[in-house]
Amino acid sequence: MNFRETLERVCARVEGSLGAVIIAEDGIVVERHVANPSLDLELASVELVGAAREIRRATAAVDAGELEELLVANAGRLALLRLIGPGYYLLLHLAPTALVGRGRYELRRAAHELASEFV
């Protein structure tokens, strides 16, 4: 499976996409696609996956189950993170005006498609 093509397809289907990343929980980027070159995609992704790691630990501590999805919204951008396999995430960076629902839908589709590669 071509990971880059999957990321390109997700970004093409979500208006306002800035980029997408497949990233390990330890911060290692497996693949990336940058739709907006002004974004430091790798730095933003590493920081967000670090936050997801802490949230995953917190949800495990209270028996809330595995973290499946995380939305981070701020004035400059949105970030959607979705678990694709043990220790691996699909992360979509969006402009603040992007349609979050469409982004969630496309991430869910792509995560399902990629899941067999990250078992």
Side-chain angles (χ1 to χ4, degrees), residues 11-67:
C11 287
R13 290 179 177 168
V14 181
E15 188 175 331
S17 293
L18 303 174
V21 176
I22 297 172
I23 188 167
E25 192 173 61
D26 61 4
I28 296 174
V29 173
V30 175
E31 187 60 82
R32 66 187 173 100
H33 169 68
V34 180
N36 182 337
S38 68
L39 172 65
D40 186 347
L41 193 67
E42 291 193 29
L43 177 61
S45 299
V46 168
E47 293 300 329
L48 287 168
V49 82
R53 185 175 49 244
E54 294 304 315
I55 292 169
R56 187 181 64 75
R57 286 182 187 146
T59 58
V62 295
D63 293 325
E66 185 71 44
L67 174 67

Side-chain angles (χ1 to χ4, degrees), residues 65-98:
E66 185 71 44
L67 174 67
E68 293 179 13
E69 184 178 77
L70 177 65
L71 167 66
V72 177
N74 56 39
R77 78 177 68 109
L78 304 169
L80 290 168
L81 180 132
R82 182 140 190 105
L83 182 71
I84 55 176
Y88 290 92
Y89 298 94
L90 182 55
L91 182 53
L92 178 62
H93 297 272
L94 301 165
T97 56

